[in-house]
Amino acid sequence: MNSAISSASESLDALASLVNDLLDVSRVQAGALTITTMPTDPSEAVAPALDELGLGPDEVRLCLGHGDRTAEADPVLLQRVLVNLLSNAVRHSPPGVPVTVTSSTFGEVLEIRVIDHGEGVDPARLDDIFLPFQRLGDTDNTSGLGLGLALSRGFTEALHGTLLPESTPGGGLTMVVSLPLSRDPREGVS
């Protein structure tokens, strides 16, 4: 009996997650997301994303180099972006090869890179991975509906940032989240 209840509960959770994703796709497409931006340390979005996915140092290597700089972002949306990117990267990485997450700043931009060493994506099809319901190369019907990257790009753009794919040197895919840096509160103070 407990197993049936547990299974029903898991199915209900999966259905609720799917409905939320579909609603979020609609909100993104309609430009109707509720966003609260604030100075956000990327590590404060990376850590809960790793916890949510149950990923540890064997699956993900961190090389965060943004220092004390913060991005102007909604921390909840940034965490959702990272959960989707990490989930895809881990799924497409070869066994025993960890995904790498890096952060750095360039000019007025903070970049977060999620790097895998899987098969990668044909450069001619890179934009296709952001279309809802696209699962390039996936043949496993249990891995989702292909909404994660569409949502991640929509959330990132709502934060006035960009999400771009790049080929990883040596094979794989690197997803680059670029967000505006927060203004240093000391700027403009004399």
Side-chain angles (χ1 to χ4, degrees), residues 25-171:
V25 166
S26 297
R27 287 183 191 111
V28 165
Q29 291 174 339
L33 280 176
T34 302
I35 300 169
T36 305
T37 62
M38 62 186 67
T40 302
D41 184 334
S43 60
E44 293 175 4
V46 170
L50 294 173
D51 286 345
E52 183 176 329
L53 295 169
L55 299 174
D58 290 341
E59 295 93 6
V60 179
R61 250 181 8 156
L62 299 177
C63 300
L64 304 180
H66 61 279
D68 62 355
R69 300 301 307 265
T70 58
E72 194 63 26
D74 181 313
V76 173
L77 285 185
L78 182 55
Q79 179 182 335
R80 295 213 34 220
V81 168
L82 293 172
V83 164
N84 288 329
L85 298 181
L86 284 163
S87 177
N88 278 342
V90 168
R91 185 170 60 247
H92 293 288
S93 289
V97 178
V99 168
T100 302
V101 177
T102 68
S103 67
S104 56
T105 60
F106 299 98
E108 295 300 312
V109 173
L110 191 147
E111 285 188 354
I112 303 167
R113 293 174 176 264
V114 178
I115 306 161
D116 76 55
H117 296 283
E119 292 182 24
V121 175
D122 177 351
R125 306 229 28 222
L126 284 175
D127 281 337
D128 295 344
I129 64 176
F130 295 106
L131 297 173
F133 307 109
Q134 296 299 309
R135 292 177 32 226
L136 301 184
D138 278 354
T139 55
D140 174 10
N141 286 332
T142 65
S143 62
L145 291 177
L147 296 174
L149 292 179
L151 283 172
S152 292
R153 180 172 262 183
F155 291 160
T156 304
E157 289 174 351
L159 296 171
H160 306 289
T162 59
L163 174 58
L164 299 172
E166 297 177 351
S167 294
T168 302

